[in-house]
Amino acid sequence: MRAFNQITIYDFENGRKIDMAKEIQSSGKDYILKVDEQEYINYLYDKYVLTPITIHTETEYFGTPYISKETVTNYAYDRGYHEVDTYLFTVVYDYSGSDELFYVHTNPWTYASYDITLDNRLKKVSFDFKIYNQDAEEFRSMKTQCFSSAFANVVNANKNAEDFNRLLRDSITRAFQKEKEKCLKENDFFAAINIKVNQDTKSVFTAPTITKKIIPQPVVSNNKEFSSEPMMSSEMYIDVLKVIYESGKNMEKKPALYIGKDEEGLRDQFLFVLETRYEGTTATGETFNRSGKTDIILKYANDGSNLFVAECKFWHGASELLSAISQLFERYLTWRDSKAALIMFVKNKDFSNVISSIKNEAKKHSLFVKESGQRGETSFSYIFCLPQDNQKHVLFEIVAFHYDK
């Protein structure tokens, strides 16, 4: 083959990334969800990383010369045809590095090339050259010239490999995350299995009708826990927040439902609705979770897995808001909790100022990651992280109601 002249660097790198992505996709959903992410990324990196080429010139050796007759024209004398002896030599070197780099038309590319032969199994590279005289100087000169042409682009190839390697881990991580997100979306986090909205409660709220899918939970290895934990689907989470928001707003119009009630009494108003709203779940209050008792927990009825955790608090200022968030995240949420809410009961007359304060102060919390929208005038969506694992994100809603009587 012609050294460093078979495939463009663009096509080579693009093809390598495609092969890597195909390998991830062919691993299968079950494997992608259960595998240790960092170990798998390290494995792919080791497989697809390019090792710079080194020609070990100290290992140079020659095969047995091949002597033959060749007809040539002697232009210096009579310009006739003459038969002369030719000496064909094969020079061999050990090499290390990625075999594929020998095929790449590098960028930049030194305008020189030569035919070489690769033995990938033994990691040897060789080239042939011939001379017409028994002349040691001609032998050395021809060998040096051919070596220079054959390996002129080694430095360029190694620079291209270095550039490729520098971006490889990020490319693998993005491809893996894309496939994992696809798997999670297909499974809907194996969430809300057999959980349906109770038909009798649908007309109570302004929330649109929700058609639930029954998503079978895949069979997993006994020593893997990821896919055995049901989690609330995004669809159900939206419905839960809708129910809480509509219930709380309706209570604002009926002071008799909130006058004289403490946090527990107000909480029970929401629990009453939630526990009848969803089939396949249990809704409980003052339930022990992690390091304390939280106000509202929705659990999957089959195995008691948490689907949703909420805390209820009266508004006592911005500092108390941050303390309430810390209490919820530090004391009540476990690593497996992914959806939570803080329900604020506001007695202040200046409700608009309180809302502005909530929006401004929530972003100052140390666990805040980003805002993710607003469901209503007084319902705000965020992404927070867990204090024990900043890579673990939680969908978090702060909902405020004005109970000023």
Side-chain angles (χ1 to χ4, degrees), residues 276-288:
T276 58
R277 173 74 168 168
Y278 305 103
E279 300 172 2
T281 70
T282 59
T284 61
E286 285 297 312
T287 304
F288 190 83

Side-chain angles (χ1 to χ4, degrees), residues 140-201:
R140 285 189 292 270
S141 176
M142 185 60 68
K143 186 199 72 168
T144 300
Q145 179 182 331
C146 294
F147 180 96
S148 178
S149 296
F151 305 123
N153 282 287
V154 166
V155 172
N156 294 332
N158 289 344
K159 179 61 169 61
N160 289 165
E162 179 184 336
D163 293 341
F164 177 82
N165 293 341
R166 187 171 58 253
L167 303 175
L168 178 59
R169 189 173 293 276
D170 286 344
S171 296
I172 294 171
T173 301
R174 285 195 299 271
F176 180 83
Q177 290 294 340
K178 180 179 179 180
E179 186 64 18
K180 188 172 184 178
E181 288 171 9
K182 174 186 172 184
C183 294
L184 291 172
K185 184 177 180 181
E186 287 175 354
N187 281 358
D188 200 19
F189 290 94
F190 315 127
I193 301 171
N194 291 322
I195 296 172
K196 303 175 184 177
V197 172
N198 188 325
Q199 299 296 321
D200 296 333
T201 70

Side-chain angles (χ1 to χ4, degrees), residues 387-401:
Q388 65 270 33
D389 184 352
N390 60 15
Q391 298 300 310
K392 174 68 173 177
H393 289 175
V394 176
L395 298 181
F396 178 50
E397 194 81 5
I398 300 179
V399 192
F401 301 113

